[in-house]
Structures are given as C-alpha cells and as structure tokens.
Amino acid sequence: MSEARAATEKLQVELHGLGVTSAYEVGDDATISVWIGLVVHYRDGFYRWQEGPVKRRHLGTDPVGCAMRVARRYQELQADIPLWWDDLARELRGEPVQDYP
C-alpha cells in the first residue's frame, strides 16, 4: 500500500468519525472528494485541500487535525453555499440537479 493511499484512508476514517460520510476516494490513491468543490489531496507528506478556486494546506501531517479542519469547513460551506458552488455543480452535473448539493 502506498503512503498516499494509507494517508487518505486514515483521513477518511477520521472524517467519517466527524460525521462526513459522503467523502470518497477519487481513484488516484491520493485524492478524496468531500463535497463538490471540496477536495483533499495528500502529497509530499502534507494534506492539501481545494475549495472551489481556493487552495489550502494543512500545516501538519496528521489526519486527525486535517479532518477536523476539513469537516468544519464542509459544514460551513453547506450552511452558507458559496457563489462558486452553483457554477461548479452546473458544470459537473448539469442543469437538472440544481437542488442537490
């Protein structure tokens, strides 16, 4: 098992424990999609995430700390859906799924 896969699996377990059950591995062993527009990558020993056009980096290498920050941001985004989300959802899913975040 690669380091990236082990790291993303640990992160998924932590996210699930924090109530983020919709996160899934994208297929490259290093990327987890938490929600449309909120994606976490593991690279060079660090967790990095992108929310829409903004890229962020967790300063530690621990999956627990990263999961806490990402889960908090996930809840904030769902409570107050950002402007970029509609455009991204429409582009990725098409017009008929407007109401599904």
Side-chain angles (χ1 to χ4, degrees), residues 20-40:
V20 181
T21 59
S22 60
Y24 61 92
E25 197 265 321
V26 173
D28 64 359
D29 290 344
T31 307
I32 294 175
S33 177
V34 179
W35 194 48
I36 279 188
L38 181 59
V39 179
V40 182

Side-chain angles (χ1 to χ4, degrees), residues 1-9 25-32 42:
M1 179 182 300
S2 71
E3 175 189 1
R5 183 172 190 90
T8 55
E9 284 181 1
E25 197 265 321
V26 173
D28 64 359
D29 290 344
T31 307
I32 294 175
Y42 181 82

Side-chain angles (χ1 to χ4, degrees), residues 9-92:
E9 284 181 1
K10 288 177 187 176
L11 180 63
Q12 274 189 285
V13 168
E14 295 298 330
L15 286 169
H16 195 271
L18 294 169
V20 181
T21 59
S22 60
Y24 61 92
E25 197 265 321
V26 173
D28 64 359
D29 290 344
T31 307
I32 294 175
S33 177
V34 179
W35 194 48
I36 279 188
L38 181 59
V39 179
V40 182
H41 306 278
Y42 181 82
R43 188 178 73 223
D44 301 328
F46 291 98
Y47 292 99
R48 295 170 168 83
W49 68 89
Q50 182 170 346
E51 55 181 72
V54 179
K55 293 183 179 182
R56 305 192 185 276
R57 186 179 107 180
H58 176 58
L59 298 178
T61 57
D62 63 312
V64 175
C66 181
M68 289 172 50
R69 292 181 72 185
V70 171
R72 186 178 320 123
R73 189 62 187 139
Y74 170 73
Q75 290 176 345
E76 291 170 356
L77 289 171
Q78 285 195 320
D80 186 22
I81 297 173
L83 297 174
W84 55 260
W85 191 90
D86 285 333
D87 292 335
L88 184 59
R90 193 174 303 111
E91 180 180 319
L92 294 175

